[in-house]
Amino acid sequence: MASRIHALFLRLIKSFLHKSDGFHLRASITISAGILLSFLFSCSPALALPQTAPDISELFRQATVAMRNGHLDEAAAGFASATQVVPTFAEAYLNLGLVREEQGLFDEAIASFQKALGLKPNLHGANLFLGIAYFRLDQLDKAIGAIQKESTSFPKDAPAWMWLGIIRLAQEKPEEAADALDNAAKLAPDDMDILYHRGRAHLLVSKNSYSRMFKVDPHSWRVHQVIAQANAQADRHMDAVAEYQAAIKLAPTQPGLHEELGSEYRGLGKAPEAEEAYLRELEIDPHNALAKYKLGALAVEKGDGAKGKELIEAALRAKPGLLHSDYNLGRAEMLLGNNAAAAQRLERATSAPGSDPEVIQQAWYQLGIVYRRLHRMEEAQKAMATFQKLKNDEAENSQKALKRYESQQNPDSAQPPSSPQNPP
């Protein structure tokens, strides 16, 4: 049993656990942020330059342009000259450190960042890039110390929280990483890098929690439930049914288990067993809106429009916006002969956000039938044409996916035939 649970969860998270996956991504973040900071400094009127050095501004500007254009040696020489002319020029030390970091000269970058911080302890970005340089040298404790200072001084900076999370991941502290990356996501909810690392952190937290569950009590109903959920996600519905049944045997009145079991039976096409499971769930928890909704959808599939509509509408009163509810209510209205109401529901179902492509296809098909019943023949033809197009597109995409899979499994099969082949 131990090997089964570990195999299931390793399969679910294996694509997120390779440290090498994040390295090139992190390198690109460093470079882009370095260019951004140099651009900001070059345009900032707040640089406190001494009156005795009127040419420093131009020297700094030229070095910044060189850095932005990828001429790193020229940029390094320019920033170094600026620090020699004005030894108190903290921003020049910071940008020199950015150049050294992009050159892979991390020890020199650290020295420059430390000099900048010695001149301006709260210089924006200096602790962040100091921490990144330490991270590149695998000095994780020093990296954390520097980036924690950045996130404390600038708590609304998403990159600082993101890097705090990345380094906590490297330290194999996923709970702390998740906390930091949650903060980053609040500040930049659509940032792809943050979303990636946050997802990775939470997957590791989940894996650790499940592994701990197994160690604490491998025979717990919770362990059976989580194995069942993993099997369900992997489309291993028979295995999921067996695990849900084992969980129910240990916890027969636990809310939610029968509803999940019913969903697996439904996926296997076992409508009577699914209905029995949903009914048992509602005996245990009469307020379970999902069980009520799924029972209503089953009733529609069996041709009982009145019962299906009653159950689905009751579920929606408790939990509005359930997925595919417009489609199922549209089918219920069709069964009841309420074609105008069915058309309205099915029209919404064709564009409902988050819908499965197969449901959208079927919504167009059923809409074509309803339009015919309403004698809206032109709209019926358009609906059926849309259904057929979606179906053809699906078949074509499936063929392409199959060919890609076959070519990956057998590269020789991807070679074109020696002579034209006529279809059978």
Side-chain angles (χ1 to χ4, degrees):
M1 186 171 177
S3 61
R4 288 174 63 200
I5 187 170
H6 286 291
L8 284 167
F9 286 108
L10 286 175
R11 190 183 309 121
L12 290 174
I13 66 170
K14 65 180 180 179
S15 62
F16 293 87
L17 300 183
H18 298 294
K19 292 184 179 179
S20 60
D21 288 349
F23 182 84
H24 298 295
L25 174 63
R26 295 196 295 268
S28 68
I29 296 168
T30 304
I31 293 170
S32 62
I35 293 173
L36 174 61
L37 280 174
S38 67
F39 175 78
L40 290 173
F41 289 137
S42 71
C43 296
S44 173
L47 296 178
L49 300 178
Q51 295 296 321
T52 55
D55 59 333
I56 287 297
S57 181
E58 178 61 19
L59 180 62
F60 187 88
R61 187 194 68 79
Q62 290 177 357
T64 299
V65 170
M67 182 182 180
R68 235 180 2 249
N69 292 334
H71 304 150
L72 299 183
D73 290 337
E74 180 183 342
F79 291 130
S81 296
T83 63
Q84 292 170 1
V85 175
V86 184
T88 58
F89 195 176
E91 288 81 2
Y93 282 107
L94 172 57
N95 275 25
L96 178 59
L98 293 173
V99 175
R100 294 307 188 200
E101 193 162 64
E102 292 185 18
Q103 290 176 317
L105 303 173
F106 300 117
D107 286 318
E108 294 182 32
I110 288 168
S112 292
F113 293 139
Q114 288 174 332
K115 182 66 176 178
L117 287 164
L119 294 166
K120 283 190 177 181
N122 286 323
L123 182 58
H124 196 176
N127 271 306
L128 172 62
F129 287 99
L130 175 61
I132 293 171
Y134 279 133
F135 175 69
R136 298 291 187 217
L137 295 175
D138 205 30
Q139 298 180 29
L140 301 183
D141 290 340
K142 290 183 178 180
I144 282 290
I147 294 179
Q148 281 179 327
K149 290 179 182 177
E150 185 76 17
S151 63
T152 299
S153 298
F154 304 97
K156 294 189 180 299
D157 271 15
W161 289 108
M162 182 188 76
W163 274 96
L164 194 60
I166 289 171
I167 297 169
R168 288 302 190 195
L169 282 172
Q171 290 180 318
E172 298 183 354
K173 296 179 178 180
E175 289 84 1
E176 294 178 44
D179 288 342
L181 288 158
D182 285 345
N183 283 335
K186 290 176 185 176
L187 296 165
D190 296 327
D191 185 287
M192 294 298 289
D193 296 329
I194 291 171
L195 291 171
Y196 167 78
H197 291 295
R198 184 186 182 212
R200 183 166 171 258
H202 281 283
L203 278 170
L204 286 166
V205 171
S206 297
K207 173 180 175 290
N208 290 347
S209 292
Y210 295 143
S211 296
R212 184 65 180 169
M213 283 171 58
F214 180 76
K215 290 177 182 177
V216 171
D217 183 1
H219 303 294
S220 165
W221 68 268
R222 282 292 191 191
V223 170
H224 287 291
Q225 182 188 34
V226 80
I227 295 174
Q229 290 168 346
N231 279 320
Q233 290 179 9
D235 292 327
R236 297 173 55 174
H237 299 292
M238 289 297 295
D239 291 337
V241 164
E243 293 296 342
Y244 279 126
Q245 288 173 334
I248 288 169
K249 187 175 181 180
L250 294 169
T253 60
Q254 178 63 36
L257 288 179
H258 288 85
E259 182 252 311
E260 292 176 306
L261 173 62
S263 298
E264 294 309 303
Y265 276 134
R266 192 177 175 201
L268 290 168
K270 297 185 175 184
E273 291 88 345
E275 183 177 12
E276 182 182 350
Y278 292 142
L279 288 169
R280 177 62 181 138
E281 181 66 38
L282 289 172
E283 290 176 7
I284 296 167
D285 179 11
H287 303 291
N288 188 319
L290 280 176
K292 198 170 293 185
Y293 172 71
K294 292 174 182 178
L295 192 60
L298 267 183
V300 171
E301 290 172 10
K302 290 169 59 178
D304 192 340
K307 182 179 179 182
K309 180 179 178 180
E310 179 186 355
L311 287 165
I312 292 170
E313 287 182 339
L316 287 171
R317 286 194 291 272
K319 195 177 181 67
L322 287 167
L323 189 62
H324 304 147
S325 58
D326 279 317
Y327 173 76
N328 285 308
L329 279 174
R331 294 282 290 116
E333 298 288 10
M334 287 178 69
L335 290 168
L336 294 170
N338 302 327
N339 294 317
Q344 291 180 348
R345 287 287 184 181
L346 292 168
E347 284 166 355
R348 287 199 290 267
T350 61
S351 58
S355 289
D356 295 336
E358 185 177 352
V359 173
I360 293 175
Q361 277 184 39
Q362 287 301 313
W364 281 109
Y365 179 79
Q366 300 297 338
L367 192 55
I369 295 173
V370 172
Y371 282 150
R372 281 203 297 266
R373 292 178 181 176
L374 293 169
H375 307 292
R376 294 159 61 176
M377 304 310 295
E378 184 177 349
E379 290 171 282
Q381 290 175 352
K382 289 180 179 178
M384 286 300 185
T386 302
F387 162 73
Q388 193 59 52
K389 181 181 183 304
L390 292 173
K391 195 170 183 64
N392 292 342
D393 289 346
E394 180 189 24
E396 182 180 348
N397 291 334
S398 296
Q399 284 297 316
K400 288 179 179 178
L402 179 60
K403 288 180 180 178
R404 283 196 300 270
Y405 174 79
E406 289 175 344
S407 65
Q408 290 168 357
Q409 297 300 310
N410 183 11
D412 293 337
S413 68
Q415 299 299 320
S418 57
S419 59
Q421 304 261 330
N422 293 321

